[in-house]
Structure formats: structure tokens, C-alpha cells
Amino acid sequence: KCRRPIWVFDQFAESYNNLLRQFPRLPETATYIKDPADLVFDPNLEIDVNYDHMLNTPENKERLPESLKLNNRTALLALKGSIESLKDKVLRNYKVAIPHWYGNRIQLLLPLYLTNEAIADNALIVDKDMRSRMYLARTILTMDMAYIDARVITRPDREWLNP
């Protein structure tokens, strides 16, 4: 048997609404970001890529374009080439790096152009690690996965992340 909730949503209300005067203190606004710099890619930091995890973990390998799934050498070269060109893309347009929320932290999504220089195939996920002063890249997402994740924080940049 389903239990009925002990409360019912009535309305959204602004702080000046009389309805809210019955509460001694309103909750603080939710915040997810401690440092706004985490939302922007820092081109001064290197990207340390875990290629082994991307190419030898079945879950990650399955996310690659079909033409790269069968040949690790070709996939590795495509990944290295695409990642090498990322900094230039971000320097020209900082909105290329799209923040998303995962595991109680901000990560950045970066486009990977693996089979076509005009259309991103995947998104590289990077974590900023200030202790080592670099970004750690451990995994990739399909474009659908990246689009879903990116919408949590901000509207995705239409230059590369389209539904």
C-alpha cells in the first residue's frame, strides 16, 4: 500500500510573499560551485590522458565511432591527434569547454573530432587536479551522454554539442 506524503506542493513563492513569513528562516540558495574558474578551461594546465582506460575498458571502447572500435592503434592515433588540437580550440573560444556536474564536482566536456574535423564524435571528460596542476582525462562520452550531462549546469554550446 502506498503511503501519502505528509506535505503537498502548493506554490513557488518569492521571499516577500506572506506565505513564507511563517518560516523563521528560508534555506540558503543551493550552490554547486566554489570557484568560478572551475567552469572555464585553463590552457596553462596540461592534460594527462589515460589512453589505456579509454581503449581497453569495454564500456569506454563501445563509445568510440564504429570505424575505431576494431583497431586500437588507429583509435589511439585519432585520440592523440584530437586531444593535441583541443587547447587551440579552447583558446579561440572558451565556450568549447562545457562544464558538467559528476560525482559532486565540476568536470569539463571537451570535443573530440576523431573521424571528421567538423563534427565532434565524442566528448573528453577532464577533471582539474590543482595538486598536480593538470587536467586528468580518464574517459569519453558519446555525444548523447555529453548533451544530457551538460544541460545540468548550463545551456550547451551549439558549436559542437547538438542534440
Side-chain angles (χ1 to χ4, degrees):
K1 184 175 177 179
C2 287
R3 290 179 30 192
R4 298 185 73 165
I6 58 173
W7 58 269
V8 176
F9 175 78
D10 184 56
Q11 64 180 291
F12 287 104
E14 298 288 337
S15 59
Y16 53 81
N17 187 307
N18 286 333
L19 174 69
L20 297 180
R21 293 193 182 170
Q22 65 183 314
F23 299 103
R25 192 171 80 106
L26 295 178
E28 297 293 320
T29 302
T31 57
Y32 302 98
I33 307 159
K34 290 186 174 104
D35 184 358
D38 290 341
L39 300 174
V40 180
F41 184 82
D42 183 348
N44 297 311
L45 301 181
E46 294 298 318
I47 302 173
D48 181 34
V49 184
N50 187 338
Y51 292 106
D52 183 58
H53 183 70
M54 289 179 201
L55 296 173
N56 295 316
T57 303
E59 178 183 341
N60 284 323
K61 190 166 189 169
E62 191 57 35
R63 297 172 183 170
L64 289 170
E66 288 299 323
S67 60
L68 300 177
K69 288 179 186 177
L70 298 176
N71 189 323
N72 268 12
R73 175 93 176 122
T74 304
L76 177 63
L77 292 173
L79 281 168
K80 283 186 174 186
S82 185
I83 292 169
E84 183 67 30
S85 67
L86 279 175
K87 280 192 178 181
D88 288 337
K89 287 184 189 320
V90 177
L91 281 173
R92 287 192 301 272
N93 179 3
Y94 74 93
K95 292 186 289 180
V96 166
I98 298 174
H100 86 124
W101 184 257
Y102 179 79
N104 291 325
R105 67 185 184 280
I106 295 288
Q107 296 177 317
L108 294 176
L109 301 167
L110 298 167
L112 290 175
Y113 298 89
L114 302 171
T115 61
N116 183 325
E117 62 187 51
I119 301 170
D121 296 288
N122 292 93
L124 180 69
I125 304 297
V126 295
D127 283 301
K128 187 189 254 183
D129 182 12
M130 289 312 294
R131 194 173 27 127
S132 61
R133 301 249 338 119
M134 64 177 49
Y135 286 104
L136 304 175
R138 296 183 184 102
T139 194
I140 59 173
L141 298 180
T142 65
M143 297 306 289
D144 288 341
M145 295 164 79
Y147 183 75
I148 289 167
D149 286 359
R151 293 181 312 136
V152 172
I153 294 179
T154 186
R155 190 175 123 222
D157 180 50
R158 292 282 186 197
E159 185 174 310
W160 71 273
L161 190 54
N162 293 306

